[in-house]
Amino acid sequence: MRDDHGFAAGEADAAQVKLRRRKWPRALAGVVAWVLLFAGALMLLAPDILEVSYRVSADDRMAAVDKVADQAAGVASSAASDQLASSGDQAAAKAARRAADSLPWLQRYNEQVRSGMGAAVGDPFDLDASEGSLSSAGLSDMPVGRICVPAMNCDLPLYLGASQEHLALGAGVVSGTSAPIGEADSNCVIAGHRGYSSALFFREIENIKAGDPVVLSTIWGTFGYRAVSFEVISPSDVEAVSVQPGRDLVTLSTCHPYPYNTYRYLVVCERDQSAVSDIAGKSDEVLLPSIRSLDMTGGPIASDGGLDALFVENCGRIIGRVLLVALVAWPLTKFVLWIARSKKSRINRQN
């Protein structure tokens, strides 16, 4: 005859087994749902992740340029070479020598552009784009500075020539336009992709408004500018980027509308050295889409009234950040509560 107590214990064991069997599918479904949500958050954050990866490599290149610029800008070739060589930095010494040697050539090049005798201005976003006439400066294999534009969270290496290779690494001076050496009667056109496979580049260009600072820190000096006008042009409209007598201009150029390349979005900036002090200390800020990125008016250029792709993408990035924080916080909260319950159970058993 069965023991009543044993029979009851057997029923309890069976009930526990059934309960565990019911909980297992639900637990598995919860894990799968969490993994899918986490993967979705990472997909929404892809631009941020790619930008962080790009910064790691770009910062090393810009640090090397800063070192040369700080020690050799405006110094004669032999003096810069001797000064840096004595410090044991042979790479910086060589770069300083090349910077000084290239300056006379660039001054002659700018004079040709100024007089209308320079090379033809090509479209930097053409698949066949090359460094063009600027390759003769002998600096194609290195960045010659950095361009910093806080309004669009941009701090990029700057190259002479807007070839596909250079634009994949940072921003490039368009061949046939003025070189970035801070001269009057010049218009240096700097091209950058509006988002690329590895970085954001000029993606947030519509965030720039009149008066915003732009600084070029080059191996020939540091030059400050402020945005003064905006224009959307066709890729073949070279007159829009021509030299304007008496003005030292930098024109930022990228594809428009985002994410297509039908037109070119231009931001014309005029020399204002006070912009340098405005930017000091801001180059290390975290790269996040600003509130103005969520403004559907499309920046200084009136939009066509449609749903802006940049607005939608930035909303996705913000949702991705919130979702990622929630997904990380949820298991941590569950773990803390489990520890608290376990501690309370031990106290109750001891009492």
Side-chain angles (χ1 to χ4, degrees), residues 6 15 27 41 47 56 73 78 84 88 97 113 115 121 124 129-131 172 237 247 261 278 282-283 287 299 315 335:
V56 173
S78 58
L84 292 172
R97 189 183 307 114
V113 173
S115 64
V121 178
S130 66
E131 295 152 10
D237 186 3
R247 304 178 74 186
N261 67 347
D278 285 0
K282 294 183 179 180
S283 60
L287 297 177
C315 284
F335 180 69

Side-chain angles (χ1 to χ4, degrees), residues 15-344:
Q16 289 178 0
V17 171
K18 289 181 179 179
L19 183 61
R20 284 196 295 270
R21 287 176 178 173
R22 290 195 200 102
K23 286 184 176 180
W24 170 248
R26 283 185 291 181
L28 180 61
V31 171
V32 171
W34 187 90
V35 170
L36 291 175
L37 285 172
F38 187 78
L42 292 180
M43 290 179 64
L44 290 171
L45 287 172
D48 291 340
I49 295 170
L50 291 173
E51 180 66 19
V52 170
S53 174
Y54 169 77
R55 298 307 314 173
V56 173
S57 61
D59 285 347
D60 289 340
R61 282 178 275 135
M62 290 191 292
V65 171
D66 288 343
K67 190 172 187 179
V68 175
D70 289 342
Q71 301 184 50
V75 180
S77 176
S78 58
S81 176
D82 294 342
Q83 178 184 354
L84 292 172
S86 63
S87 69
D89 195 334
Q90 297 298 324
K94 183 178 179 180
R97 189 183 307 114
R98 293 170 66 188
D101 290 345
S102 66
L103 185 57
W105 186 92
L106 291 173
Q107 290 170 336
R108 292 192 298 271
Y109 166 89
N110 274 5
E111 182 56 39
Q112 290 179 337
V113 173
R114 195 176 296 124
S115 64
M117 302 298 292
V121 178
D123 180 16
F125 304 106
D126 188 297
L127 291 178
D128 296 325
S130 66
E131 295 152 10
S133 56
L134 283 169
S135 61
S136 299
L139 299 172
S140 299
D141 60 335
M142 59 177 280
V144 297
R146 67 197 299 170
I147 175 172
C148 186
V149 191
M152 61 174 174
N153 294 328
C154 171
D155 188 11
L156 299 172
L158 178 65
Y159 293 84
L160 281 185
S163 64
Q164 292 300 309
E165 180 183 1
H166 285 167
L167 294 186
L169 298 173
V173 177
V174 178
S175 184
T177 72
S178 306
I181 55 178
E183 291 186 331
D185 302 320
S186 66
N187 189 354
C188 175
V189 180
I190 299 177
H193 282 301
R194 197 154 187 197
Y196 196 65
S197 60
S198 61
L200 304 181
F201 296 141
F202 284 7
R203 178 181 181 273
E204 306 285 346
I205 195 168
E206 288 178 75
N207 280 0
I208 303 176
K209 62 181 185 300
D212 282 343
V214 174
V215 168
L216 305 184
S217 300
T218 76
I219 55 181
W220 306 287
T222 299
F223 314 111
Y225 298 82
R226 292 191 186 277
V228 293
S229 62
F230 311 86
E231 190 175 2
V232 173
I233 65 170
S234 68
S236 60
D237 186 3
V238 297
E239 289 299 319
V241 296
S242 60
V243 172
Q244 299 182 30
R247 304 178 74 186
D248 177 1
L249 302 177
V250 161
T251 299
L252 309 182
S253 174
T254 192
C255 298
H256 184 79
Y258 180 86
Y260 306 103
N261 67 347
T262 310
Y263 302 102
R264 301 291 174 259
Y265 191 102
L266 303 183
V267 178
V268 180
C269 310
E270 189 161 14
R271 183 74 174 272
D272 183 344
Q273 204 63 14
S274 68
V276 176
S277 58
D278 285 0
I279 283 184
K282 294 183 179 180
S283 60
D284 294 329
E285 292 180 353
V286 178
L287 297 177
L288 297 174
S290 65
I291 296 300
R292 295 182 65 226
S293 300
L294 300 180
D295 182 358
M296 293 182 64
T297 59
I301 304 296
S303 68
D304 59 5
L307 190 60
D308 187 76
L310 192 58
F311 170 83
V312 173
E313 188 174 304
N314 280 342
C315 284
R317 293 169 67 192
I318 292 173
I319 292 171
R321 294 189 190 110
V322 173
L323 185 59
L324 188 61
V325 170
L327 290 173
V328 171
W330 176 66
L332 288 176
T333 303
K334 297 271 286 184
F335 180 69
V336 170
L337 292 175
W338 176 79
I339 291 177
R341 284 195 300 267
S342 300
K343 184 176 181 180
K344 185 176 180 180

